[in-house]
Amino acid sequence: MVSVSRPRRWRRLLLVLGALVTLLALAIGGGVTLVYVNAAVSTVGSAEFSNELAIPPLAPSRLRPDGAREFELEMRSGRTEFRPGQATETWGFNGSYLGPTLRARRGERVAVTVRNQLPEASSVHWHGMHLPAAMDGGPHQMVQAGGAWSPQWTVDQPAATLWYHPHPHGVTEKHVQRGLAGMFLLDDEVSESLPLPRNYGVDDLPVIVQDVKFRGAEFDSSHAMFRDTGFLGDRTMVNGTLTPYREVGDELIRLRLLNASTARIYTFGFADERQFSLIGTDGGLMERPLALDRVQLSPGERAEIVVRMRAGERTVLRGNKLDAGLGFWNQRFAGGDDTFDILQLRAAETLRPAPELPSVLTRASTPDGSDSVRERRFDINLAGINGKPMAMDRIDLAVTRGTAETWIVHNNDGMPHNFHIHDVQFRVLARNDGPPPAELTGPKDTVFLPPNATVTLAMRFDGPADPNSPYMYHCHLLWHEDQGMMGQFVVVDAGQSPGTPPPMPPGHHGH
């Protein structure tokens, strides 16, 4: 009987272990490679555009005896048939999915009665609106299941494309994904005096873009592997319509683009590379139309574009690959390589003529930073803002009513983020070490920050002062917001100290 020496046994064991480690490494590497290859999605060239684009109805309103224009919104659960014969569980305002378009004019007093018929508490935030903090609809203004809320305020800002959506801390992504969103359009004398397309649903189209994924008949809202940005779907809808087309009968068509997705960043353009005119950003009109063939929108951002159509032609609004320096990994897993055919426009054989766009649209309505009384810095990453996750009972800063400030926001994370400030519209003074690109010179309330990017923002806080009712600032990639990437501020009168936020509202889902 021949015995095997101990050194030989150890060598054999090490060889076996080495082979197992190698096989395991190859399996893991192969798995990661497979996940990477399959992570990119595209509907370019495969969309059939078989469904006519739905246009959200204009919300009815009535004038109350006190002169206020009153709207009614009811949050409901229901079922929506996005595909023939397949009904999906959804939420909506005044219907089963999305909500009507509210419309008001500068100077009007607006009142909204919000009723919640959902099985859980939610809220309604007026994104982009300048209004008292107690009417803002943030996480402190929860509407309980079966309850109601009646905010009112005077519209005191330029014409703009705004929107409304839930803002319950900890579950905002889920509530928006289920369908709670709608547009809120503002008009004023300046916008009404300009020869711009303005016939809602005809030559002036709301374009609410969302990415979705289905598992059978239901939404699949799960986060795929390595998707640290949040939910990313494999197809898009516009106004709740899959593969939509719209027949148009005018030479100039105004598209009010709203990125209502929860994490996806779109680079909008047309499949035939045609130019369009950017006439408005989040907070209203640009000073002058800007000729572009691409416009990038992160979640929550809006852009008003005007495209010229020729009789009998068709063109497709497309989401192109993202060019934002995301790096090899994030470019793929943050959706930067994804492409989508989003909406087809079909021009009639005879088109109504439209005048040329004016060379000047309006004057700048945001401060230029020259009268800022304070500069603040915000370092943002998934762990929080300035090193702190959101706390509902903590006021992070107080600003003085009637003053302007400059905020420097730096993304020190390895993933993309954006930054939204409630109540104000700001001007982007700089991006990184230089001036902002022309498309970021309009009034903004949300701005995209790729990894390691910095933006310098100027804004004015016109009140009203309320030391106890905070506004929010946060990343609008909604899973990031839900994880605590948010802070809150109050507006105070000179010499006044910040107060105490209201007690934690019932239905609070945060940390």
Side-chain angles (χ1 to χ4, degrees):
M1 183 173 179
V2 180
S3 63
V4 179
S5 67
R6 182 172 296 178
R8 290 177 63 187
R9 287 201 304 269
W10 276 111
R11 283 198 298 271
R12 186 176 298 172
L13 180 61
L14 288 174
L15 286 172
V16 171
L17 287 175
L20 289 174
V21 169
T22 301
L23 288 172
L24 182 61
L26 288 172
I28 293 172
V32 171
T33 300
L34 187 63
V35 171
Y36 182 89
V37 169
N38 292 332
V41 299
S42 177
T43 61
V44 169
S46 63
E48 298 179 355
F49 300 112
S50 54
N51 301 308
E52 185 172 4
L53 177 69
I55 300 295
L58 288 171
S61 63
R62 68 179 185 91
L63 286 178
R64 300 192 317 199
D66 62 2
R69 180 173 300 281
E70 185 175 42
F71 298 92
E72 294 190 0
L73 289 177
E74 184 175 274
M75 294 185 276
R76 306 172 184 169
S77 58
R79 301 188 71 84
T80 305
E81 194 170 290
F82 300 107
R83 298 166 297 172
Q86 299 189 65
T88 303
E89 290 186 10
T90 53
W91 289 358
F93 293 98
N94 297 1
S96 66
Y97 193 74
L98 296 181
T101 298
L102 278 62
R103 193 158 201 166
R105 199 169 183 277
R106 187 171 195 173
E108 278 191 311
R109 185 158 184 78
V110 167
V112 187
T113 300
V114 178
R115 295 183 177 86
N116 183 5
Q117 300 301 326
L118 300 173
E120 62 185 85
S122 191
S123 74
V124 183
H125 166 55
W126 318 106
H127 184 125
M129 193 76 73
H130 173 54
L131 76 178
M135 310 296 172
D136 184 56
H140 290 285
Q141 289 90 44
M142 297 294 287
V143 188
Q144 299 306 307
W149 179 53
S150 299
Q152 50 186 310
W153 67 95
T154 298
V155 177
D156 186 20
Q157 63 192 100
T161 299
L162 311 182
W163 66 303
Y164 60 95
H165 63 81
H167 211 303
H169 183 38
V171 290
T172 297
E173 182 190 55
K174 180 178 75 171
H175 286 210
V176 173
Q177 280 178 332
R178 289 181 175 181
L180 292 175
M183 279 194 175
F184 200 137
L185 306 184
L186 300 182
D187 302 303
D188 65 8
E189 290 183 356
V190 174
S191 66
E192 291 168 347
S193 70
L194 295 170
L196 298 174
R198 65 177 67 257
N199 192 354
Y200 179 82
V202 179
D203 61 359
D204 183 357
L205 304 180
V207 180
I208 303 172
V209 182
Q210 301 165 292
D211 60 334
V212 294
K213 187 176 184 180
F214 291 94
R215 183 175 58 243
E218 303 303 329
F219 283 145
D220 179 357
S221 299
S222 60
H223 294 193
M225 188 178 297
F226 305 129
R227 301 289 194 177
D228 291 337
T229 54
F231 169 77
L232 295 174
D234 58 6
R235 58 196 307 185
T236 55
M237 296 197 298
V238 180
N239 303 344
T241 309
L242 291 165
T243 59
Y245 70 88
R246 186 68 180 179
E247 296 179 350
V248 296
D250 295 87
E251 288 181 342
L252 290 183
I253 301 298
R254 180 184 195 170
L255 302 179
R256 298 181 185 255
L257 302 176
L258 162 60
N259 182 354
S261 295
T262 60
R264 185 172 294 284
I265 301 146
Y266 297 95
T267 303
F268 290 106
F270 287 91
D272 55 13
E273 306 287 343
R274 71 179 58 200
Q275 284 199 329
F276 52 83
S277 295
L278 177 68
I279 63 166
T281 49
D282 300 341
L285 295 173
M286 303 276 291
E287 292 185 61
R288 293 174 177 80
L290 177 64
L292 298 172
D293 61 12
R294 296 281 193 279
V295 64
Q296 179 183 280
L297 297 182
S298 63
E301 290 186 282
R302 288 88 66 207
E304 297 184 35
I305 68 172
V306 175
V307 59
R308 181 169 291 278
M309 301 295 294
R310 294 181 294 272
E313 72 170 347
R314 296 183 178 187
T315 189
V316 173
L317 180 70
R318 176 169 290 174
N320 298 286
K321 288 187 177 182
L322 182 62
D323 182 12
L326 294 187
F328 176 81
W329 186 262
N330 276 306
Q331 179 68 19
R332 178 57 56 98
F333 289 106
D337 287 333
D338 299 347
T339 54
F340 297 93
D341 279 349
I342 295 171
L343 168 66
Q344 184 184 64
L345 297 179
R346 302 177 180 178
E349 293 300 327
T350 303
L351 297 178
R352 288 180 288 272
E356 294 293 327
L357 294 177
S359 59
V360 177
L361 297 172
T362 190
R363 293 183 297 175
S365 58
T366 49
D368 61 7
S370 61
D371 59 347
S372 290
V373 301
R374 182 162 184 173
E375 182 177 284
R376 302 181 193 264
R377 184 176 178 91
F378 300 83
D379 290 313
I380 64 174
N381 56 49
L382 196 54
I385 298 178
N386 289 340
K388 296 182 292 187
M390 170 68 177
M392 291 282 285
D393 58 354
R394 183 190 69 231
I395 292 176
D396 295 284
L397 58 98
V399 300
T400 302
R401 181 187 183 195
T403 64
E405 293 192 358
T406 298
W407 290 13
I408 300 172
V409 186
H410 174 63
N411 177 2
N412 61 11
D413 221 344
M415 66 182 71
H417 295 298
N418 70 7
F419 196 73
H420 169 54
I421 309 175
H422 289 208
D423 183 53
V424 299
Q425 296 293 331
F426 52 74
R427 182 184 300 194
V428 182
L429 301 180
R431 188 172 71 178
N432 298 329
D433 296 326
E439 60 267 26
L440 289 183
T441 57
K444 297 283 292 173
D445 55 53
T446 308
V447 64
F448 175 54
L449 285 102
N452 304 309
T454 301
V455 291
T456 303
L457 315 174
M459 68 216 75
R460 183 180 305 281
F461 300 94
D462 290 325
D466 186 341
N468 299 310
S469 297
Y471 298 103
M472 306 294 125
Y473 53 88
H474 59 88
C475 180
H476 214 283
L477 279 67
L478 296 183
W479 184 70
H480 295 178
E481 172 191 323
D482 288 341
Q483 295 304 301
M485 203 172 167
M486 180 161 62
Q488 48 190 1
F489 70 97
V490 292
V491 178
V492 297
D493 285 319
Q496 189 178 33
S497 298
T500 304
M504 199 77 74
H508 170 71
H509 297 80
H511 312 290

Short mmCIF file of all heavy atoms in Angstrom, two decimals, residues 207-210 236 238 255 257-261 264-271 274 276 292-298 301-303 305 316-322 340 342-343:
data_model
loop_
_atom_site.label_atom_id
_atom_site.label_comp_id
_atom_site.label_asym_id
_atom_site.label_seq_id
_atom_site.Cartn_x
_atom_site.Cartn_y
_atom_site.Cartn_z
N VAL A 207 -47.12 66.28 -23.63
CA VAL A 207 -46.39 65.04 -23.92
C VAL A 207 -45.77 64.55 -22.61
O VAL A 207 -44.66 64.91 -22.25
CB VAL A 207 -45.31 65.26 -25.01
CG1 VAL A 207 -44.56 63.96 -25.30
CG2 VAL A 207 -45.94 65.80 -26.29
N ILE A 208 -46.54 63.74 -21.87
CA ILE A 208 -46.12 63.21 -20.57
C ILE A 208 -45.46 61.86 -20.82
O ILE A 208 -46.12 60.89 -21.16
CB ILE A 208 -47.32 63.06 -19.62
CG1 ILE A 208 -48.04 64.41 -19.44
CG2 ILE A 208 -46.89 62.50 -18.28
CD1 ILE A 208 -49.36 64.30 -18.67
N VAL A 209 -44.14 61.81 -20.68
CA VAL A 209 -43.37 60.62 -21.06
C VAL A 209 -43.01 59.82 -19.81
O VAL A 209 -42.45 60.36 -18.85
CB VAL A 209 -42.10 61.01 -21.82
CG1 VAL A 209 -41.33 59.76 -22.26
CG2 VAL A 209 -42.45 61.86 -23.05
N GLN A 210 -43.34 58.53 -19.85
CA GLN A 210 -43.02 57.61 -18.75
C GLN A 210 -42.45 56.32 -19.34
O GLN A 210 -42.86 55.90 -20.43
CB GLN A 210 -44.27 57.26 -17.96
CG GLN A 210 -44.99 58.44 -17.33
CD GLN A 210 -46.40 58.07 -16.89
OE1 GLN A 210 -47.27 57.80 -17.72
NE2 GLN A 210 -46.62 58.01 -15.60
N THR A 236 -41.86 52.84 -23.45
CA THR A 236 -42.34 54.15 -23.02
C THR A 236 -43.82 54.32 -23.36
O THR A 236 -44.36 53.67 -24.27
CB THR A 236 -41.55 55.29 -23.70
OG1 THR A 236 -41.59 55.12 -25.12
CG2 THR A 236 -40.11 55.30 -23.23
N VAL A 238 -46.75 57.72 -23.69
CA VAL A 238 -47.01 59.16 -23.70
C VAL A 238 -48.47 59.37 -23.33
O VAL A 238 -49.37 58.79 -23.95
CB VAL A 238 -46.72 59.79 -25.07
CG1 VAL A 238 -47.01 61.30 -25.03
CG2 VAL A 238 -45.28 59.55 -25.49
N LEU A 255 -44.82 71.05 -28.58
CA LEU A 255 -44.83 69.87 -27.72
C LEU A 255 -44.36 70.30 -26.33
O LEU A 255 -43.25 70.82 -26.17
CB LEU A 255 -43.89 68.79 -28.26
CG LEU A 255 -44.18 68.27 -29.67
CD1 LEU A 255 -43.15 67.21 -30.06
CD2 LEU A 255 -45.58 67.70 -29.79
N LEU A 257 -43.01 68.91 -23.40
CA LEU A 257 -42.38 67.68 -22.95
C LEU A 257 -42.25 67.67 -21.43
O LEU A 257 -41.70 68.62 -20.85
CB LEU A 257 -40.99 67.53 -23.57
CG LEU A 257 -40.90 67.53 -25.10
CD1 LEU A 257 -39.43 67.46 -25.53
CD2 LEU A 257 -41.68 66.36 -25.69
N LEU A 258 -42.71 66.62 -20.80
CA LEU A 258 -42.57 66.42 -19.37
C LEU A 258 -41.96 65.04 -19.15
O LEU A 258 -42.53 64.03 -19.56
CB LEU A 258 -43.93 66.50 -18.67
CG LEU A 258 -44.04 65.89 -17.26
CD1 LEU A 258 -43.09 66.55 -16.28
CD2 LEU A 258 -45.48 65.95 -16.75
N ASN A 259 -40.79 65.00 -18.52
CA ASN A 259 -40.23 63.72 -18.12
C ASN A 259 -40.86 63.33 -16.79
O ASN A 259 -40.45 63.77 -15.72
CB ASN A 259 -38.70 63.81 -17.99
CG ASN A 259 -38.10 62.46 -17.63
OD1 ASN A 259 -38.81 61.49 -17.36
ND2 ASN A 259 -36.77 62.38 -17.61
N ALA A 260 -41.90 62.51 -16.88
CA ALA A 260 -42.61 62.03 -15.69
C ALA A 260 -42.13 60.63 -15.29
O ALA A 260 -42.77 59.98 -14.46
CB ALA A 260 -44.12 62.02 -15.93
N SER A 261 -41.02 60.17 -15.86
CA SER A 261 -40.42 58.92 -15.42
C SER A 261 -39.78 59.14 -14.06
O SER A 261 -39.45 60.26 -13.68
CB SER A 261 -39.37 58.45 -16.43
OG SER A 261 -39.98 58.12 -17.67
N ARG A 264 -35.46 57.64 -15.33
CA ARG A 264 -34.84 57.65 -16.65
C ARG A 264 -34.58 59.08 -17.13
O ARG A 264 -35.41 59.97 -16.95
CB ARG A 264 -35.72 56.91 -17.66
CG ARG A 264 -35.08 56.80 -19.02
CD ARG A 264 -35.86 55.90 -19.96
NE ARG A 264 -35.89 54.51 -19.55
CZ ARG A 264 -34.88 53.67 -19.68
NH1 ARG A 264 -33.72 54.10 -20.18
NH2 ARG A 264 -35.00 52.41 -19.30
N ILE A 265 -33.43 59.26 -17.77
CA ILE A 265 -33.05 60.54 -18.36
C ILE A 265 -33.17 60.38 -19.87
O ILE A 265 -32.64 59.42 -20.46
CB ILE A 265 -31.60 60.91 -17.96
CG1 ILE A 265 -31.49 60.99 -16.43
CG2 ILE A 265 -31.17 62.22 -18.59
CD1 ILE A 265 -30.16 60.54 -15.89
N TYR A 266 -33.86 61.31 -20.52
CA TYR A 266 -34.09 61.23 -21.96
C TYR A 266 -33.29 62.30 -22.68
O TYR A 266 -33.18 63.45 -22.22
CB TYR A 266 -35.57 61.44 -22.30
CG TYR A 266 -36.50 60.39 -21.74
CD1 TYR A 266 -37.16 60.60 -20.53
CD2 TYR A 266 -36.72 59.19 -22.42
CE1 TYR A 266 -38.02 59.64 -20.01
CE2 TYR A 266 -37.58 58.23 -21.90
CZ TYR A 266 -38.22 58.46 -20.69
OH TYR A 266 -39.07 57.51 -20.17
N THR A 267 -32.77 61.93 -23.86
CA THR A 267 -32.21 62.90 -24.79
C THR A 267 -33.17 62.94 -25.98
O THR A 267 -33.09 62.11 -26.89
CB THR A 267 -30.80 62.52 -25.24
OG1 THR A 267 -29.96 62.40 -24.08
CG2 THR A 267 -30.22 63.60 -26.15
N PHE A 268 -34.11 63.88 -25.93
CA PHE A 268 -35.15 63.94 -26.96
C PHE A 268 -34.61 64.55 -28.25
O PHE A 268 -33.87 65.54 -28.24
CB PHE A 268 -36.33 64.79 -26.47
CG PHE A 268 -37.13 64.17 -25.37
CD1 PHE A 268 -37.02 64.63 -24.06
CD2 PHE A 268 -38.00 63.13 -25.62
CE1 PHE A 268 -37.77 64.08 -23.04
CE2 PHE A 268 -38.75 62.55 -24.61
CZ PHE A 268 -38.62 63.02 -23.31
N GLY A 269 -35.01 63.96 -29.35
CA GLY A 269 -34.71 64.47 -30.68
C GLY A 269 -35.66 63.79 -31.65
O GLY A 269 -36.55 63.03 -31.23
N PHE A 270 -35.47 64.04 -32.92
CA PHE A 270 -36.32 63.40 -33.93
C PHE A 270 -35.50 62.41 -34.74
O PHE A 270 -34.30 62.59 -34.94
CB PHE A 270 -36.98 64.45 -34.83
CG PHE A 270 -38.08 65.21 -34.14
CD1 PHE A 270 -37.81 66.39 -33.47
CD2 PHE A 270 -39.38 64.71 -34.10
CE1 PHE A 270 -38.81 67.08 -32.80
CE2 PHE A 270 -40.39 65.38 -33.43
CZ PHE A 270 -40.10 66.57 -32.78
N ALA A 271 -36.17 61.36 -35.20
CA ALA A 271 -35.48 60.28 -35.89
C ALA A 271 -34.79 60.76 -37.16
O ALA A 271 -33.76 60.21 -37.55
CB ALA A 271 -36.47 59.15 -36.22
N ARG A 274 -34.13 66.35 -37.54
CA ARG A 274 -34.57 67.71 -37.83
C ARG A 274 -34.37 68.61 -36.63
O ARG A 274 -34.41 68.17 -35.47
CB ARG A 274 -36.04 67.73 -38.25
CG ARG A 274 -37.03 67.44 -37.12
CD ARG A 274 -38.46 67.50 -37.60
NE ARG A 274 -38.69 66.55 -38.69
CZ ARG A 274 -39.70 66.64 -39.54
NH1 ARG A 274 -40.59 67.62 -39.42
NH2 ARG A 274 -39.85 65.75 -40.48
N PHE A 276 -35.52 71.70 -34.11
CA PHE A 276 -36.73 72.27 -33.53
C PHE A 276 -36.32 73.50 -32.73
O PHE A 276 -35.12 73.76 -32.54
CB PHE A 276 -37.44 71.24 -32.64
CG PHE A 276 -36.55 70.61 -31.60
CD1 PHE A 276 -36.30 71.24 -30.38
CD2 PHE A 276 -35.94 69.38 -31.84
CE1 PHE A 276 -35.47 70.66 -29.43
CE2 PHE A 276 -35.11 68.79 -30.89
CZ PHE A 276 -34.88 69.44 -29.68
N LEU A 292 -32.28 73.68 -31.86
CA LEU A 292 -31.60 72.50 -31.35
C LEU A 292 -32.01 71.28 -32.16
O LEU A 292 -33.03 71.30 -32.86
CB LEU A 292 -31.96 72.24 -29.88
CG LEU A 292 -31.61 73.29 -28.83
CD1 LEU A 292 -32.24 72.90 -27.50
CD2 LEU A 292 -30.10 73.42 -28.68
N ASP A 293 -31.24 70.21 -32.04
CA ASP A 293 -31.72 68.92 -32.52
C ASP A 293 -31.74 67.88 -31.40
O ASP A 293 -32.07 66.72 -31.63
CB ASP A 293 -30.91 68.42 -33.72
CG ASP A 293 -29.43 68.21 -33.39
OD1 ASP A 293 -29.06 68.24 -32.20
OD2 ASP A 293 -28.64 68.02 -34.34
N ARG A 294 -31.38 68.29 -30.18
CA ARG A 294 -31.44 67.44 -29.00
C ARG A 294 -31.80 68.31 -27.79
O ARG A 294 -31.36 69.45 -27.69
CB ARG A 294 -30.08 66.79 -28.70
CG ARG A 294 -29.56 65.82 -29.75
CD ARG A 294 -30.25 64.47 -29.63
NE ARG A 294 -29.56 63.45 -30.41
CZ ARG A 294 -29.70 63.27 -31.71
NH1 ARG A 294 -30.50 64.08 -32.39
NH2 ARG A 294 -29.05 62.29 -32.33
N VAL A 295 -32.57 67.76 -26.87
CA VAL A 295 -32.78 68.40 -25.57
C VAL A 295 -32.87 67.30 -24.52
O VAL A 295 -33.59 66.32 -24.69
CB VAL A 295 -34.02 69.32 -25.56
CG1 VAL A 295 -35.32 68.54 -25.79
CG2 VAL A 295 -34.09 70.12 -24.27
N GLN A 296 -32.10 67.46 -23.47
CA GLN A 296 -31.98 66.44 -22.44
C GLN A 296 -32.85 66.80 -21.24
O GLN A 296 -32.80 67.94 -20.76
CB GLN A 296 -30.52 66.34 -22.02
CG GLN A 296 -30.23 65.34 -20.92
CD GLN A 296 -28.77 65.41 -20.55
OE1 GLN A 296 -27.91 64.84 -21.24
NE2 GLN A 296 -28.46 66.11 -19.47
N LEU A 297 -33.65 65.85 -20.77
CA LEU A 297 -34.52 66.07 -19.61
C LEU A 297 -34.35 64.92 -18.63
O LEU A 297 -34.56 63.76 -18.96
CB LEU A 297 -36.00 66.17 -20.03
CG LEU A 297 -36.42 67.32 -20.95
CD1 LEU A 297 -37.92 67.26 -21.20
CD2 LEU A 297 -36.02 68.66 -20.36
N SER A 298 -34.01 65.27 -17.39
CA SER A 298 -34.00 64.29 -16.31
C SER A 298 -35.37 64.30 -15.64
O SER A 298 -36.21 65.16 -15.93
CB SER A 298 -32.87 64.62 -15.33
OG SER A 298 -33.08 65.88 -14.72
N GLU A 301 -38.06 67.42 -15.15
CA GLU A 301 -37.79 68.58 -16.01
C GLU A 301 -38.81 68.66 -17.14
O GLU A 301 -39.37 67.66 -17.58
CB GLU A 301 -36.39 68.49 -16.60
CG GLU A 301 -35.27 68.71 -15.61
CD GLU A 301 -33.91 68.74 -16.29
OE1 GLU A 301 -33.39 67.66 -16.63
OE2 GLU A 301 -33.37 69.85 -16.47
N ARG A 302 -39.03 69.88 -17.62
CA ARG A 302 -39.91 70.13 -18.75
C ARG A 302 -39.21 70.95 -19.82
O ARG A 302 -38.27 71.69 -19.53
CB ARG A 302 -41.18 70.89 -18.33
CG ARG A 302 -42.16 70.08 -17.52
CD ARG A 302 -41.88 70.13 -16.04
NE ARG A 302 -42.07 71.47 -15.49
CZ ARG A 302 -41.43 71.92 -14.41
NH1 ARG A 302 -40.52 71.19 -13.80
NH2 ARG A 302 -41.68 73.15 -13.95
N ALA A 303 -39.68 70.83 -21.05
CA ALA A 303 -39.20 71.66 -22.16
C ALA A 303 -40.36 71.86 -23.12
O ALA A 303 -41.07 70.91 -23.45
CB ALA A 303 -38.02 71.01 -22.87
N ILE A 305 -41.05 72.72 -26.89
CA ILE A 305 -40.38 72.80 -28.19
C ILE A 305 -41.42 73.01 -29.28
O ILE A 305 -42.58 72.60 -29.14
CB ILE A 305 -39.52 71.56 -28.49
CG1 ILE A 305 -40.39 70.31 -28.69
CG2 ILE A 305 -38.52 71.33 -27.35
CD1 ILE A 305 -39.61 69.10 -29.18
N VAL A 316 -40.74 60.94 -36.07
CA VAL A 316 -40.81 60.24 -34.79
C VAL A 316 -39.97 60.97 -33.75
O VAL A 316 -38.78 61.25 -33.98
CB VAL A 316 -40.31 58.79 -34.94
CG1 VAL A 316 -40.22 58.10 -33.57
CG2 VAL A 316 -41.24 58.00 -35.86
N LEU A 317 -40.60 61.28 -32.61
CA LEU A 317 -39.87 61.77 -31.45
C LEU A 317 -39.14 60.60 -30.82
O LEU A 317 -39.76 59.57 -30.51
CB LEU A 317 -40.84 62.41 -30.44
CG LEU A 317 -40.21 62.97 -29.16
CD1 LEU A 317 -39.38 64.21 -29.46
CD2 LEU A 317 -41.30 63.30 -28.13
N ARG A 318 -37.85 60.77 -30.62
CA ARG A 318 -37.02 59.65 -30.19
C ARG A 318 -36.26 60.01 -28.91
O ARG A 318 -35.90 61.17 -28.69
CB ARG A 318 -36.03 59.29 -31.31
CG ARG A 318 -35.03 58.21 -30.98
CD ARG A 318 -34.28 57.75 -32.22
NE ARG A 318 -35.16 57.00 -33.12
CZ ARG A 318 -34.81 56.57 -34.34
NH1 ARG A 318 -33.60 56.84 -34.81
NH2 ARG A 318 -35.67 55.89 -35.08
N GLY A 319 -36.02 59.02 -28.08
CA GLY A 319 -35.10 59.15 -26.97
C GLY A 319 -33.77 58.53 -27.36
O GLY A 319 -33.68 57.33 -27.56
N ASN A 320 -32.75 59.36 -27.51
CA ASN A 320 -31.44 58.91 -27.98
C ASN A 320 -30.54 58.51 -26.81
O ASN A 320 -30.87 58.73 -25.64
CB ASN A 320 -30.77 60.04 -28.78
CG ASN A 320 -31.55 60.43 -30.01
OD1 ASN A 320 -31.56 59.71 -31.00
ND2 ASN A 320 -32.23 61.56 -29.96
N LYS A 321 -29.39 57.93 -27.15
CA LYS A 321 -28.41 57.60 -26.12
C LYS A 321 -28.00 58.87 -25.37
O LYS A 321 -27.98 59.96 -25.92
CB LYS A 321 -27.19 56.91 -26.73
CG LYS A 321 -27.46 55.49 -27.20
CD LYS A 321 -26.18 54.80 -27.65
CE LYS A 321 -26.45 53.36 -28.07
NZ LYS A 321 -25.20 52.67 -28.46
N LEU A 322 -27.64 58.67 -24.12
CA LEU A 322 -27.29 59.79 -23.26
C LEU A 322 -25.80 60.06 -23.34
O LEU A 322 -24.98 59.16 -23.16
CB LEU A 322 -27.69 59.45 -21.82
CG LEU A 322 -27.45 60.51 -20.75
CD1 LEU A 322 -28.27 61.76 -21.04
CD2 LEU A 322 -27.81 59.94 -19.37
N PHE A 340 -35.33 54.86 -27.51
CA PHE A 340 -36.77 54.62 -27.63
C PHE A 340 -37.36 55.46 -28.76
O PHE A 340 -37.03 56.64 -28.91
CB PHE A 340 -37.49 55.01 -26.32
CG PHE A 340 -37.08 54.20 -25.13
CD1 PHE A 340 -36.08 54.64 -24.29
CD2 PHE A 340 -37.70 52.98 -24.86
CE1 PHE A 340 -35.69 53.89 -23.19
CE2 PHE A 340 -37.31 52.23 -23.77
CZ PHE A 340 -36.30 52.68 -22.93
N ILE A 342 -40.67 57.17 -29.37
CA ILE A 342 -41.61 57.58 -28.34
C ILE A 342 -42.97 57.98 -28.89
O ILE A 342 -44.01 57.57 -28.39
CB ILE A 342 -40.99 58.73 -27.51
CG1 ILE A 342 -39.76 58.19 -26.75
CG2 ILE A 342 -42.01 59.33 -26.54
CD1 ILE A 342 -38.94 59.26 -26.06
N LEU A 343 -42.99 58.80 -29.94
CA LEU A 343 -44.25 59.36 -30.47
C LEU A 343 -44.08 59.66 -31.94
O LEU A 343 -43.10 60.29 -32.34
CB LEU A 343 -44.60 60.64 -29.71
CG LEU A 343 -45.71 61.53 -30.28
CD1 LEU A 343 -47.06 60.82 -30.22
CD2 LEU A 343 -45.78 62.86 -29.53
#
